[in-house]
Amino acid sequence: LLAGAFDERIALTVSGYSGCGGTAPFRVDHGKCERLDRVVAACPHLLRADVKQFAGKEERLPVDQHLLVALVAPRAFLDLQGTRGAWTNPEGAQLTHQAAKKVFAFLKAEDKIGIRYRPISNVIPPKLLYEDVLPFADHVFFGKKLPEEFGHLPYKEDTEAFKWEAPK
């Protein structure tokens, strides 16, 4: 995700079941999901050392993951999520998707952001990568129609999570 956000040579970025520090927001967690305080305690090497000052105070972070996803635009981005992977915060990833989608729309690239939920945990069988990534790549690069499962959002919409709009 980080490489896709900053390296313009990458035409399609795919994030799969990434959790905290990936597409799931730091500021919004749902239940027993991976959170910043847990990551800092269990795996401090995954993040910058100064990030620990925000553990338990995530609302003070100056940015969140929707801004990282938005940096991919107008290039293509696909997020793969499992509804049974509570640890990776798939509900939070939906919020990130909805917020970043506003930037893609502003840049006239709304057809280049996608999300695909499956009823699985955070362990992705390689076969599913082909079943999800290839149709999205065909859509982005060859204009093929996406299967209807893409873009289906399984969680109730939360309009209060990220209150911002892209300029008109």
Side-chain angles (χ1 to χ4, degrees):
L1 178 53
L2 192 61
F6 291 104
D7 190 337
E8 292 185 9
R9 297 173 297 174
I10 298 173
L12 170 58
T13 299
V14 179
S15 179
Y17 311 86
S18 59
C20 184
T23 59
F26 288 112
R27 294 180 187 160
V28 183
D29 70 70
H30 295 92
K32 297 179 179 179
C33 67
E34 185 177 45
R35 294 189 328 243
L36 183 58
D37 60 338
R38 293 176 181 158
V39 172
V40 168
C43 306
H45 58 282
L46 293 178
L47 301 168
R48 289 177 47 107
D50 55 355
V51 171
K52 67 182 175 184
Q53 68 182 304
F54 295 104
K57 303 176 216 154
E58 289 80 3
E59 72 285 348
R60 296 188 62 222
L61 280 164
V63 296
D64 212 336
Q65 297 313 98
H66 63 294
L67 298 174
L68 182 59
V69 173
L71 286 173
V72 174
R75 293 167 291 121
F77 177 76
L78 174 63
D79 191 12
L80 304 175
Q81 293 292 328
T83 56
R84 295 183 186 153
W87 180 250
T88 60
N89 193 3
E91 192 170 349
Q94 177 176 301
L95 296 172
T96 295
H97 172 77
Q98 290 172 300
K101 192 172 182 176
K102 294 177 182 185
V103 173
F104 279 78
F106 172 73
L107 295 173
K108 310 257 186 284
E110 55 266 39
D111 62 330
K112 291 187 177 179
I113 184 171
I115 193 165
R116 171 72 163 101
Y117 281 89
R118 287 188 174 271
I120 62 175
S121 69
N122 62 328
V123 178
I124 179 168
K127 176 185 174 217
L128 293 184
L129 281 174
Y130 295 111
E131 290 179 5
D132 292 338
V133 175
L134 291 181
F136 190 76
D138 282 344
H139 166 71
V140 170
F141 300 122
F142 303 111
K144 292 186 179 180
K145 186 174 184 212
L146 272 175
E148 63 183 49
E149 298 85 20
F150 284 80
H152 171 74
L153 302 177
Y155 303 103
K156 183 181 173 199
E157 187 173 355
D158 181 355
T159 57
E160 299 296 312
F162 296 110
K163 294 181 108 178
W164 72 298
E165 294 292 327
K168 303 282 189 234

